[in-house]
Amino acid sequence: MLLFRRVDNATPEELYEQILNAGVDDEIARQYAKFAGAMETSAMSSIANGTASSRILMFPSCSMPSIAKVVQTFDLEDPCLLLSRSYPVGIDSIRMSQTNELSRKSFSLACENLAPGSSSAVVQEISSLSDEKYDIEKIDRDKGNPLVAAVAFKTPSGASVTVKVPCGMGEIHQVSPHFIHTVGSKDVLKAMMQEHFVDRDILLVSKKGQGKTVTANEFASILGYTTQLFGLYKDMTSRDLLMRRTTDSITGETSWEASPLLKAAVNGDICILDGIDKLGKDTLSTLQSLVHDRELSLPNGQRLVRADRFDKANHSYPNFAHDSVLSHQKGGSILPVHDSFRIIALGSVTENGAGWLTENAMSMFSTIPLPSPSHQCLNAILKASSPLCPEDKLNKLLDFHNRLTEPAASNCAVSPLSTRNLVRIVKQIQPSVGVDSNLYEVISSVLMGSLLPPTQKQSLDHLLNQAGIVSNSSADSRNEKIDVEQDTLKIGTFSMKRGRPKRQEMVPAPDFFDIPDHVQMIAGLLKEWNGGERAFLLIGNQGVGKNKIVDRLCEVANFEREYIQLHRDSTIGQLTLSPSLEDGKIIWKDSPLVRAVQDGCALVIDEADKAPLETVVVFKNLIEDGELLLADGRRITRTLQGPGKATHLLVGDCFSTHAIPNPDLESEIELLRSYATNIDDATLHKVVRSFGELRYLSEKGDISYPYSTREAVSIMKHLKVYPGLVSALHNVLDMDSFDDSLYKKIGDVFRRNGIPMTDYRTWGKHASIGSGSNSNEKLDIMYSGSNKNGYASLTQPKIGRFDENNEPHVGGNQWQGGTGGSDTAGLGGRGGPYRVDRGHKVHQVSDEAKAQVSKETAEAAKQMAEAALKERLQEIGISETEWKMYDGLVKPIRADIVNLKGLLNAVESKKTERAWIKRQSHGEIDDAKLVDGATGDKFIYKRRGNADPERGSIMKHPKRIRFVFDCSASMYRFNGNDERLNRSLEAAALIMESFDEMNNRFIYSIVGHSGDSDCIPLVEFGNPPVTVKDRMKILQEMVAHTQYCQSGDHTLEAMQKAMHDVIESDPGGQNTDECIVIGISDANLRRYGIHPRQLGDIMRGRRFGASENLPKSFCIFIASLGDEADDIRRELPFGR
């Protein structure tokens, strides 16, 4: 039977005693014990009286003795600054959870009571808080104890404060030559030293690329510490943090190997936990005992204990360290934790803050945010990184960096430039290494500008132009040729020494044709390589030639190449080593990555986007930090080596990124001509222009597949051997022939460019009789009883006879519902009164044939159509005025309806399915992982669970969508200004028309909201409007609500209710693939006192308890007063 006891935090009186025991004066001890008591009272009150979403985070009282000691020693420091290191809710760049705002207010009030006038400091950055009140002046090793250093701090007034701190056995540096000291970095190092003084472990947080790793290494360097870098990843378990199983290559026996963290604890090193934000909350919490008490039980039965306890016990019991009875483990042992041991954890914050920074994490570390470097700091860093960078270009780059703020970057669909990005850019534009000095091209490459949609690309170019950065590509570079000599490679004015491979068979020899675009790309990559860059990431659509470019680069530079291809099941272990069982022993075989590191080869990592993120992110440790721990216990470390001994990795922010587009018109024509020398230039131009237009449609989202150069080359290869352009095109395009609307859209593109593409059925009939070789023959169908032009004779318009068997009738002039005929009601013909669709393939007559219809016949057909319309309107109960209104709304968006229908048909499944999930730490043993299990791998199990769907999965259940329309008074009031109500009605009509007959794929509902209600039912789930009358009625209801409702706004309530209702409409989600909520509104929140952040919180699920069941939510703003829409978008989740 379990017995439960409640264990409370220390009372203010108990905490007061603890602070006194830390050597703090009585008055300070009383003040800070009172502060901690007030914070705990607020937190406990919020727990008792509120909900989970209104709870105030607990203040870590256990850190108060350390805080008070720092306050007493450094009495000029702002108390709120020191307190915020243990309770970082007050730091604006760190938003931890939905409770952050309430916790911030509580913290601010307590700070005001502690130090009146200082509460405003809690919302500022660390760099602006200290005002350089203390600066590290000197560090000396203590003469009496080599493991202690005396650190002298100096104030602006000249006063000095000296403290003693633990240190390493290495050389103590006052200033490291490789580290660029700025005001911000000095302030961070000072804060780290203050926390180090009171024996606190440290957590550095910032956005990625701001210098966390460099700062941690600098702190260790100035104190003579040896560092143990420990790269963390998502699948890491608590055991991985401490030890892992390895095997002896000779005997095959397994043993335990200490992790970098354990080695640092025993040896007195600094362990840098890189990527603490990736760890699961439960995994990180296992280190609490080690962090707080310096004690921990290890997986092998050993135990870590604090050094003073170890010495005391060993003094009383000489055999204490090896006494199995006292250690509570048979054959176990006790390991002392070195006094100098420290942990520096590194964590990244995103635009959504730092949700991973929980109360447990706050209690374990002193959190120190790295400030965003100022203009002066960046200028100093960049000049030191690239002394030869031209001053004018450096100033333009910094000007652009200042303009590319978070909101501006979001508007351009890019990320702001990190310090790492800026350093990479200045290195590329310095002239001494022969790297391309075109600043516009370098920035566009780093931000992947060529892959942006047109609107975002235009916004980015506008910012660049404002900073005086314009494109000035030289026409001469288009004429550069690759000249390969025995030991030298020349491309234009650039030259370099070629490699000297030991294994010539490892140098690729691709079938490659040098075209201007690809030659420029190869030259740019080699120039960067010559300037010191060793990691590249090539991004582009499939089929644009990424692998070909890399192989050609290795060929001309004479680089040996290793190759590895990733997939969705790739693991970190598979990237480095693969185990095999030979003669009863586990043999580790090096992966291509390890071989490339050992031999100095180029490593190509293909399909990097397919692998899990936690797998690919391991390359950051290898590229940026120069270290990687292998499964067999070996460690890759950075060594000084010649330029030919670098590992090239083509996969993040740590890489020099290059977007690989399809070649331009001139380059692609030259490439296709190389593959098919017998094809005339006119045909080449038609094909290239057609494919260019298809890619444009793909960028717009009108078609899903980005037809690339690979498909164009395939056509040319076919034409070289088998004449017949249309047949060659069908070989490539017929995969899309199952979608009639998509296939017609593709065919229209080729017809516009002079290639007579036909529909699939017509071509198939034509090809079957052996006529496919004539690419210029037009495929018209001849009909019985037709005139000399191939079409049925024109008479008077008529409805036509009704075929009870619904046989397809092509041509002729007798049957209702036929296609490509004359006079009758059907589709694709001429002279008929109106359209009738009986579900057959449509055959379209030519425009020339349509022109043969006389004016009298056309007028008669028009009168028949009008009469039929009136009759039909009477049947469905809709007036002619209503019909004209509805037709007026639908007519301008007919093309959009067709496009949206095509996109909806291509939507893939997102629902998780029950399946065998592999690489688990528990479950049934996976037979394919037996060898891995013998090596100590714990992820050798499989179990049934919800697995993510495969790419391209067909939906088994429909998606459930709720559309939330704004029917408030502002829609009616401002319609005369910008037609916002008209656009809203068009959007509603687009939804109802496009989702028609898609109940098996989508179940949708439409609701409205106004000043009167947060939910006006318009369309219920499973009951979509079928007739024009039903749809028109819904539109009329929307107009009526906007006209007669009271002033007010329920946007927040409507979105929150919709997100709740869409889930409740199918409890458990058993019959739903995915739940989505889409809000369509005008941007008119400011008028009603609604802050956009409130809407963003709802969309992020911060007002819901079970976020795992949260539906996806999106907002579309169709009108704005001033710049309010931009302000709202900045506060919403990115991309939504």
Side-chain angles (χ1 to χ4, degrees):
M1 178 178 179
L2 294 176
L3 297 178
F4 295 92
R5 291 290 185 271
R6 171 172 167 171
V7 180
D8 292 321
N9 287 331
T11 64
E13 293 75 19
E14 294 170 337
L15 191 58
Y16 165 72
E17 294 294 335
Q18 294 176 17
I19 297 174
L20 279 181
N21 292 335
V24 179
D25 294 342
D26 180 80
E27 180 61 27
I28 295 177
R30 290 186 184 279
Q31 288 180 347
Y32 284 84
K34 183 179 178 182
F35 175 91
M39 288 296 299
E40 182 173 357
T41 300
S42 298
M44 295 302 294
S45 177
S46 70
I47 294 173
N49 301 326
T51 62
S53 61
S54 62
R55 189 174 70 82
I56 295 175
L57 297 175
M58 293 289 293
F59 184 87
S61 300
C62 59
S63 61
M64 192 55 80
S66 300
I67 297 172
K69 188 174 181 180
V70 176
V71 169
Q72 177 173 288
T73 308
F74 301 93
D75 55 352
L76 297 180
E77 291 284 14
D78 191 310
C80 291
L81 166 67
L82 303 179
L83 288 164
S84 68
R85 295 176 188 167
S86 294
Y87 197 67
V89 297
I91 301 174
D92 197 43
S93 63
I94 305 177
R95 300 190 300 275
M96 294 180 294
S97 65
Q98 66 267 33
T99 61
N100 189 73
E101 193 62 34
L102 294 172
S103 303
R104 180 196 297 250
K105 291 178 180 178
S106 176
F107 182 55
S108 178
L109 180 61
C111 284
E112 185 68 25
N113 294 331
L114 177 68
S118 66
S119 62
S120 61
V122 300
V123 297
Q124 300 187 35
E125 292 290 349
I126 184 172
S127 59
S128 60
L129 279 171
S130 62
D131 295 328
E132 300 181 44
K133 293 174 182 175
Y134 290 93
D135 194 12
I136 298 176
E137 181 183 20
K138 191 177 181 182
I139 304 175
D140 292 311
R141 192 182 298 276
D142 188 84
K143 295 181 180 179
N145 186 350
L147 293 177
V148 173
V151 182
F153 293 83
K154 188 175 182 182
T155 67
S157 63
S160 180
V161 176
T162 301
V163 297
K164 291 189 176 182
V165 301
C167 66
M169 292 300 294
E171 182 181 356
I172 290 179
H173 301 278
Q174 303 299 326
V175 178
S176 298
H178 60 273
F179 187 80
I180 303 167
H181 284 271
T182 63
V183 174
S185 64
K186 290 179 180 178
D187 200 30
V188 172
L189 290 172
K190 175 210 68 177
M192 295 174 70
M193 195 67 74
Q194 290 173 340
E195 299 304 316
H196 181 53
F197 160 61
V198 291
D199 300 327
R200 292 273 285 167
D201 293 316
I202 297 166
L203 169 61
L204 297 180
V205 296
S206 75
K207 297 176 182 176
K208 64 178 183 178
Q210 296 292 74
K212 296 184 291 294
T213 305
V214 174
T215 303
N217 282 318
E218 173 63 10
F219 178 78
S221 176
I222 62 177
L223 287 176
Y225 268 106
T226 299
T227 60
Q228 297 282 348
L229 180 65
F230 199 179
L232 310 180
Y233 51 90
K234 182 179 178 181
D235 290 336
M236 184 171 278
T237 64
S238 55
R239 194 183 78 173
D240 293 331
L241 289 174
L242 303 170
M243 308 187 85
R244 64 176 181 171
R245 300 290 292 182
T246 60
T247 58
D248 188 286
S249 59
I250 299 176
T251 64
E253 297 178 350
T254 62
S255 60
W256 289 98
E257 182 186 359
S259 72
L261 176 63
L262 181 55
K263 291 177 181 177
V266 175
N267 298 332
D269 302 332
I270 285 181
C271 181
I272 301 177
L273 297 180
D274 191 1
I276 195 173
D277 51 297
K278 301 180 182 67
L279 284 182
K281 296 176 183 178
D282 294 338
T283 304
L284 180 62
S285 64
T286 59
L287 296 182
Q288 284 189 91
S289 179
L290 178 63
V291 171
H292 290 303
D293 306 320
R294 289 300 193 251
E295 294 190 7
L296 194 66
S297 295
L298 300 178
N300 67 343
Q302 293 180 315
R303 182 171 179 82
L304 293 175
V305 298
R306 203 170 61 236
D308 60 332
R309 291 191 61 197
F310 180 89
D311 293 339
K312 183 178 179 179
N314 206 30
H315 178 75
S316 303
Y317 305 96
N319 296 323
F320 171 75
H322 304 287
D323 193 325
S324 61
V325 177
L326 291 179
S327 65
H328 303 292
Q329 294 288 342
K330 184 177 180 180
S333 61
I334 304 297
L335 300 176
V337 177
H338 202 288
D339 285 330
S340 298
F341 166 61
R342 290 291 184 273
I343 298 174
I344 300 180
L346 311 180
S348 296
V349 296
T350 64
E351 62 172 5
N352 295 327
W356 50 269
L357 188 52
T358 61
E359 290 168 300
N360 284 337
M362 285 195 302
S363 68
M364 293 168 64
F365 301 101
S366 286
T367 304
I368 301 176
L370 269 65
S372 298
S374 64
H375 182 88
Q376 293 77 11
C377 292
L378 279 178
N379 191 52
I381 292 172
L382 299 183
K383 282 186 175 180
S385 301
S386 180
L388 299 179
C389 179
E391 187 75 22
D392 61 328
K393 292 185 177 181
L394 181 58
N395 292 334
K396 290 179 179 179
L397 175 60
L398 291 174
D399 184 18
F400 173 71
H401 173 263
N402 293 335
R403 295 177 186 275
L404 193 67
T405 58
E406 286 276 5
S410 176
N411 189 42
C412 299
V414 299
S415 299
L417 289 172
S418 65
T419 305
R420 185 189 293 135
N421 292 142
L422 293 171
V423 170
R424 174 171 283 114
I425 291 171
V426 295
K427 286 183 177 180
Q428 291 187 34
I429 60 177
Q430 61 178 347
S432 63
V433 295
V435 178
D436 187 3
S437 59
N438 189 333
L439 183 58
Y440 175 92
E441 298 297 337
V442 173
I443 294 177
S444 294
S445 176
V446 169
L447 296 177
M448 293 183 288
S450 61
L451 297 182
L452 294 176
T455 303
Q456 284 73 18
K457 180 68 164 62
Q458 186 177 3
S459 299
L460 179 61
D461 286 343
H462 179 67
L463 287 177
L464 287 165
N465 293 337
Q466 283 183 326
I469 302 172
V470 295
S471 178
N472 57 350
S473 299
S474 172
D476 294 339
S477 63
R478 302 287 301 175
N479 300 319
E480 291 179 345
K481 303 294 183 183
I482 296 178
D483 183 14
V484 179
E485 299 178 1
Q486 184 66 29
D487 297 319
T488 306
L489 167 66
K490 293 182 179 179
I491 305 178
T493 58
F494 168 75
S495 65
M496 60 171 282
K497 290 289 185 182
R498 300 181 72 209
R500 295 183 178 181
K502 297 179 180 178
R503 300 171 297 169
Q504 190 63 42
E505 70 276 8
M506 297 297 293
V507 178
D511 182 15
F512 192 88
F513 298 99
D514 292 334
I515 58 175
D517 268 11
H518 290 171
V519 170
Q520 279 186 297
M521 177 58 64
I522 291 171
L525 292 171
L526 288 174
K527 289 173 183 178
E528 285 188 52
W529 183 89
N530 210 35
E533 183 61 65
R534 290 298 182 268
F536 302 92
L537 171 62
L538 305 188
I539 296 179
N541 289 324
Q542 56 186 6
V544 297
K546 299 184 292 293
N547 280 310
K548 286 274 191 178
I549 291 173
V550 173
D551 285 350
R552 178 60 171 164
L553 182 151
C554 293
E555 180 186 32
V556 298
N558 220 14
F559 291 157
E560 295 178 51
R561 184 211 65 180
E562 291 279 1
Y563 177 89
I564 186 171
Q565 186 175 37
L566 306 186
H567 49 83
R568 62 174 300 183
D569 294 324
S570 294
T571 64
I572 294 174
Q574 292 168 351
L575 289 179
T576 56
L577 299 170
S578 57
S580 62
L581 192 61
E582 298 180 9
D583 297 328
K585 301 176 184 177
I586 299 297
I587 305 298
W588 293 97
K589 294 184 178 180
D590 292 339
S591 71
L593 185 151
V594 177
R595 294 199 300 269
V597 170
Q598 292 176 329
D599 301 336
C601 301
L603 174 65
V604 177
I605 301 176
D606 199 8
E607 307 288 3
D609 57 315
K610 304 294 192 302
L613 182 60
E614 60 271 15
T615 299
V616 179
V617 79
V618 75
F619 293 120
K620 186 260 184 189
N621 294 334
L622 181 59
I623 296 304
E624 188 181 56
D625 307 323
E627 294 190 19
L628 185 64
L629 188 64
L630 303 181
D632 62 351
R634 290 179 295 168
R635 178 185 291 272
I636 296 175
T637 58
R638 178 180 287 129
T639 58
L640 295 177
Q641 50 191 347
K645 291 291 184 181
T647 298
H648 305 261
L649 294 175
L650 290 97
V651 272
D653 187 60
C654 300
F655 301 83
S656 176
T657 306
H658 294 265
I660 310 295
N662 285 285
D664 60 19
L665 181 67
E666 177 187 341
S667 295
E668 190 162 16
I669 289 175
E670 186 173 335
L671 177 64
L672 298 187
R673 185 184 293 117
S674 301
Y675 279 98
T677 55
N678 58 327
I679 305 301
D680 61 276
D681 285 352
T683 301
L684 289 175
H685 278 80
K686 291 177 182 178
V687 172
V688 171
R689 285 198 304 268
S690 298
F691 273 88
E693 191 172 341
L694 288 177
R695 293 163 196 156
Y696 175 71
L697 292 177
S698 176
E699 291 175 2
K700 287 174 57 182
D702 291 348
I703 62 176
S704 58
Y705 184 76
Y707 286 92
S708 65
T709 303
R710 179 187 295 163
E711 283 76 29
V713 168
S714 175
I715 291 170
M716 291 300 109
K717 287 181 176 180
H718 185 277
L719 283 177
K720 185 176 181 180
V721 181
Y722 308 103
L725 179 57
V726 173
S727 297
L729 288 171
H730 277 285
N731 290 342
V732 171
L733 304 175
D734 278 358
M735 180 62 72
D736 291 320
S737 63
F738 298 95
D739 187 331
D740 291 341
S741 62
L742 174 60
Y743 204 68
K744 180 180 182 302
K745 188 180 298 182
I746 294 173
D748 290 342
V749 169
F750 285 94
R751 281 190 288 272
R752 279 195 297 271
N753 289 284
I755 300 176
M757 276 291 293
T758 61
D759 63 84
Y760 175 75
R761 189 170 299 177
T762 304
W763 175 79
K765 182 185 294 186
H766 188 68
S768 67
I769 59 175
S771 302
S773 61
N774 188 355
S775 63
N776 296 316
E777 181 179 353
K778 192 151 186 175
L779 302 178
D780 288 331
I781 298 178
M782 307 297 290
Y783 308 110
S784 59
S786 62
N787 62 20
K788 62 180 181 179
N789 294 320
Y791 298 105
S793 301
L794 285 164
T795 56
Q796 289 298 311
K798 53 184 177 290
I799 297 175
R801 289 185 293 169
F802 186 82
D803 186 353
E804 296 289 348
N805 298 323
N806 195 21
E807 296 289 338
H809 298 279
V810 180
N813 56 2
Q814 299 296 320
W815 297 98
Q816 177 187 157
T819 69
S822 302
D823 302 335
T824 57
L827 291 176
R830 56 178 184 164
Y834 50 84
R835 289 166 294 281
V836 172
D837 185 0
R838 300 202 65 189
H840 301 300
K841 188 78 174 181
V842 178
H843 295 260
Q844 183 70 47
V845 303
S846 66
D847 291 338
E848 293 82 357
K850 286 185 176 183
Q852 296 173 6
V853 179
S854 66
K855 291 182 179 180
E856 294 77 11
T857 301
E859 182 62 30
K862 181 180 178 182
Q863 291 176 3
M864 289 183 66
E866 290 175 350
L869 174 60
K870 289 181 180 180
E871 182 180 351
R872 179 59 179 154
L873 293 178
Q874 289 177 358
E875 290 177 4
I876 63 176
I878 187 172
S879 68
E880 188 172 353
T881 302
E882 291 174 326
W883 167 259
K884 288 181 178 179
M885 179 181 175
Y886 186 80
D887 191 56
L889 286 171
V890 173
K891 190 173 182 179
I893 61 172
R894 290 199 187 279
D896 299 299
I897 293 172
V898 174
N899 290 339
L900 183 53
K901 277 182 174 289
L903 292 174
L904 293 175
N905 281 319
V907 170
E908 300 174 354
S909 175
K910 294 295 170 81
K911 185 178 180 64
T912 58
E913 298 288 345
R914 297 286 294 177
W916 283 109
I917 304 177
K918 299 186 177 183
R919 294 284 303 165
Q920 301 298 298
S921 59
H922 64 280
E924 298 183 24
I925 292 181
D926 185 352
D927 294 341
K929 294 291 182 180
L930 292 177
V931 174
D932 300 73
T935 66
D937 191 344
K938 59 282 189 186
F939 297 110
I940 62 170
Y941 300 92
K942 62 181 180 179
R943 60 184 177 85
R944 296 291 289 178
N946 290 328
D948 292 333
E950 295 278 355
R951 185 173 298 181
S953 297
I954 298 174
M955 289 192 295
K956 296 181 179 179
H957 302 286
K959 294 182 185 292
R960 194 169 291 262
I961 308 175
R962 167 156 285 188
F963 297 95
V964 183
F965 276 86
D966 187 347
C967 297
S968 63
S970 61
M971 299 293 291
Y972 194 92
R973 161 64 180 84
F974 296 106
N975 189 52
N977 292 19
D978 50 27
E979 296 188 340
R980 61 182 63 184
L981 179 56
N982 291 353
R983 290 205 296 276
S984 181
L985 296 175
E986 286 180 351
L990 175 66
I991 292 167
M992 292 185 288
E993 291 283 343
S994 301
F995 282 83
D996 187 32
E997 298 181 354
M998 288 198 179
N999 291 349
N1000 60 328
R1001 296 176 60 79
F1002 301 95
I1003 299 176
Y1004 75 93
S1005 160
I1006 300 179
V1007 298
H1009 68 86
S1010 67
D1012 296 335
S1013 172
D1014 61 0
C1015 184
I1016 304 169
L1018 296 172
V1019 177
E1020 297 292 344
F1021 284 115
N1023 188 28
V1026 178
T1027 66
V1028 172
K1029 179 182 178 179
D1030 294 336
R1031 294 168 189 164
M1032 189 64 208
K1033 181 181 177 181
I1034 292 168
L1035 299 181
Q1036 288 174 329
E1037 286 185 39
M1038 293 174 62
V1039 174
H1041 281 286
T1042 64
Q1043 184 175 3
Y1044 299 110
C1045 72
Q1046 297 297 307
S1047 179
D1049 191 281
H1050 282 95
T1051 301
L1052 301 183
E1053 296 84 352
M1055 286 295 291
Q1056 187 166 355
K1057 180 173 176 55
M1059 294 172 71
H1060 177 270
D1061 289 351
V1062 74
I1063 295 176
E1064 290 299 316
S1065 63
D1066 181 26
Q1070 297 300 317
N1071 300 312
T1072 302
D1073 181 82
E1074 185 180 18
C1075 290
I1076 301 171
V1077 172
I1078 301 176
I1080 302 168
S1081 174
D1082 60 356
N1084 199 27
L1085 302 181
R1086 189 183 300 158
R1087 179 181 179 184
Y1088 300 101
I1090 300 173
H1091 195 283
R1093 186 178 298 169
Q1094 295 174 267
L1095 179 58
D1097 288 344
I1098 290 175
M1099 295 176 65
R1100 291 185 180 95
R1102 292 179 176 173
R1103 299 192 181 187
F1104 292 83
S1107 59
E1108 65 273 9
N1109 295 323
L1110 195 68
K1112 288 185 179 179
S1113 57
F1114 303 84
C1115 273
I1116 301 171
F1117 297 102
I1118 60 176
S1120 175
L1121 296 177
D1123 58 354
E1124 187 172 0
D1126 290 329
D1127 295 337
I1128 294 174
R1129 189 190 67 241
R1130 296 185 191 109
E1131 296 292 342
L1132 301 188
F1134 179 73
R1136 290 161 59 185

